[in-house]
Amino acid sequence: MKNPLEVFDLPTFIKTERLELRFLHRGMVQDINNALMASSDALKPRFEWMHPTPSLGDTTDYVTNMALEQYHRLSFHVGIYIKGTNEFVGMVSLNKLDPAVPAFTMGYWCDTAQAGNGYMSEAVLKMAEFAMIDLKANRVELSPDVTNVASIAIAEKLVANFGYEKLGEIKNCWRSPHNNRLCNCVRYVFTQNEELILFRND
């Protein structure tokens, strides 16, 4: 089956009220690496790819691989920048589940220096809209850890603004790279059928 995303023309960036969401390219490597280094203590408990802390070379490989997937319209990644200051905030990703559906998982992380300003909520809501309208995604999932209060708060905004469904707590859904313990998550999902997508295009 032909990938329905193959004909999608990817923009350079998407703007929100305060932010510019720039689709991933190799020129972001230094900004991303700086943020990962500065936020290492906060990110290591959440992400396996933070063990060990990525070097500049690791981040270059990481960005190259993600950019390649994006080129093939398998996944989509944006670097978040503050308008006017060009300060890097973090990233939001729509990672492939099944391009033929299309279905994605959504993930995001923030530079701890930029936390508490509502930037991540603003960026995630915009990317949810991008997935729904531009990518015509039939399914988007996200599963924040039950202890990640800030991430769950963002997910709840997706429920309020875009009709995401909270499926509830999923036990033993991932193993922490920080202490090797099994962890629980809260799963959220957005779905829309093809008939609704066709209606939106009329």
Side-chain angles (χ1 to χ4, degrees):
M1 179 182 292
K2 185 178 178 63
N3 181 354
L5 299 174
E6 286 181 0
V7 296
F8 178 73
D9 188 17
L10 191 67
T12 304
F13 57 82
I14 304 172
K15 289 186 178 181
T16 68
E17 181 180 354
R18 299 181 295 169
L19 305 170
E20 190 171 273
L21 312 183
R22 303 175 187 172
F23 282 90
L24 188 69
H25 58 80
R26 285 175 59 90
M28 296 180 185
V29 167
Q30 190 66 64
D31 291 337
I32 293 171
N33 190 249
N34 289 345
L36 292 178
M37 294 292 289
S39 307
S40 176
D41 290 344
L43 297 178
K44 275 190 172 182
R46 310 290 183 195
F47 299 109
E48 185 175 356
W49 45 263
M50 283 295 296
H51 296 262
T53 303
S55 65
L56 185 60
D58 294 331
T59 302
T60 300
D61 292 341
Y62 168 72
V63 169
T64 300
N65 291 335
M66 290 196 301
L68 184 61
E69 286 196 347
Q70 184 169 270
Y71 175 79
H72 290 293
R73 305 297 187 259
L74 297 173
S75 301
F76 300 87
H77 314 273
V78 293
I80 307 165
Y81 289 83
I82 302 172
K83 285 181 180 177
T85 68
N86 206 38
E87 293 178 75
F88 182 80
V89 173
M91 292 191 69
V92 183
S93 294
L94 292 165
N95 297 298
K96 61 179 177 180
L97 270 177
D98 186 347
V101 172
F104 302 94
T105 59
M106 184 185 292
Y108 41 89
W109 61 269
C110 180
D111 185 334
T112 52
Q114 302 291 354
N117 296 308
Y119 293 139
M120 289 305 301
S121 293
E122 191 172 325
V124 168
L125 287 171
K126 191 64 178 179
M127 284 300 286
E129 182 181 279
F130 172 77
M132 178 178 70
I133 297 174
D134 296 88
L135 299 183
K136 300 176 177 58
N138 294 102
R139 185 178 183 89
V140 181
E141 300 179 9
L142 61 158
S143 302
D145 183 86
V146 293
T147 65
N148 193 341
V149 177
S151 189
I152 288 175
I154 293 174
E156 290 292 339
K157 291 181 180 179
L158 293 173
V159 173
N161 288 274
F162 294 111
Y164 275 63
E165 181 183 359
K166 181 179 180 180
L167 299 184
E169 184 172 330
I170 311 297
K171 296 187 179 298
N172 298 340
C173 62
W174 69 291
R175 187 176 294 278
S176 170
H178 181 64
N179 54 27
N180 204 38
R181 292 181 180 176
L182 288 172
C183 302
N184 301 344
C185 65
V186 183
R187 183 155 294 166
Y188 296 83
V189 63
F190 166 81
T191 60
Q192 62 178 344
N193 58 34
E194 291 175 331
E195 289 76 13
L196 182 57
I197 292 174
L198 289 172
F199 173 78
R200 285 197 177 112
N201 289 339
D202 290 342

